[in-house]
Amino acid sequence: MQNRLQKLKQEIFDKLAEIKHLDVLRDLEVKYLGRKGEFTKILRCLKDLTIQEKKEIGKLANEIKKDLQEKFEEVKNVITKNVIKREKLDVTLPGEKIEKGHLHPITIIQNELEDLFISMGFMVLDGPELESDYYNFEALNIPKHHPARDMQDTFYIDKKNKKQEYDLVMRTHTSPVQVRAMQKYGAPLRCVVPGKVFRNEALDACHEHTFYQLEGLMIDENISISNLIAVMKKLLNGIFKKEMETRVRPGYFPFVEPGIELDIKCAICNGKGCPSCKNSGWLELFPAGMVHPNVLIAGNIDPKKYSGFAFGLGLTRLIMMKYGINDIRLFNSGDLRFLEQF
Ligand code: FA5
């Protein structure tokens, strides 16, 4: 029995000398010192010995067990130290790439335009996307049943505004903020209003149900259409960083008098005609005009003293032209292959 114990001790010590991994060490500990381990099995046989033998061999067995436990502990500490040494931070290793998002192309251009207009003394304003029928249409000289409403069919909400006077609609344009701004700030006034607008549209390469506009409004004494054209040119040069071919034609909107439409030559097909410009070679970008006196009155501004111009830039379409994007539906598609190009 003494020999068996000594032999086993030596066997375990030999194995421990070769161990490099903690999990192998743990397996070895279970194999020899565990409840069903080989060393434990020998100890169980002690019960069959005489009292004298039990005394002597029991003492030896306890000493060997203590030695083994100490040896296991020692080997464990050495392996742990080595592991820590090996795992030391290597600052020369290449780092893991952290994926970063970036601004949507519409936000990029919107920010650029805001900076441009701020530099010309304009305020940047915001307005509700869920708008009352009053501000979206009536205050803009588009009474109920006016045929101009057909041009901007929207999504009607089955609720009325706070005072329960008007229906609520998803705003079809940023123009309602014209009257809101006049009522809040009075004249003189210079502001731009970038924002999301909604229309019940048949969708195609240049028509979305949800798109962005940028409204511009300038009211002061002696404002004329030449101020409007100067600002429009400044805006186009600021965005395209080059002279764009444009054309101006008369346009009708009940809230301006006179009204104009500024088109730019389609940058996708260079005027030849393509689905993005409905094969016309031109893209309607920029309706504008002199603010109608009825709208000034709705905004509590005296039309005899003040005049002003307003425009409603199709921001999403402008960005299509700037980047040569041939389908407006890509903007809301969430397709990363598209978005990662900006
Ligand atoms: C308006 O929304 C007027 N509020 C603009 C205005 C403001 C006129 C101030 C006069 C004074 P219009 O419906 O044409 O106008 O829309 C303005 C621009 O939005 C268009 O020229 C076009 O560039 C863009 N647009 C219109 N419908 C869509 C659509 N479904 N998808 C993408 N862009 C559109």
Side-chain angles (χ1 to χ4, degrees), residues 152 172-175 178 199 201 206-209 211 213 215 253 255-256 261 284-289 310-314 316-317 328:
Q152 299 191 0
T172 54
H173 49 176
T174 40
S175 300
Q178 282 188 30
R199 289 192 195 175
E201 292 272 22
C206 60
H207 288 86
E208 255 292 10
H209 52 74
F211 57 99
Q213 287 188 342
E215 193 80 8
F253 295 91
F255 38 97
V256 284
E261 289 271 6
E284 174 197 316
L285 191 68
F286 221 131
F311 60 82
L313 172 72
T316 313
R317 283 205 192 151
I328 196 168

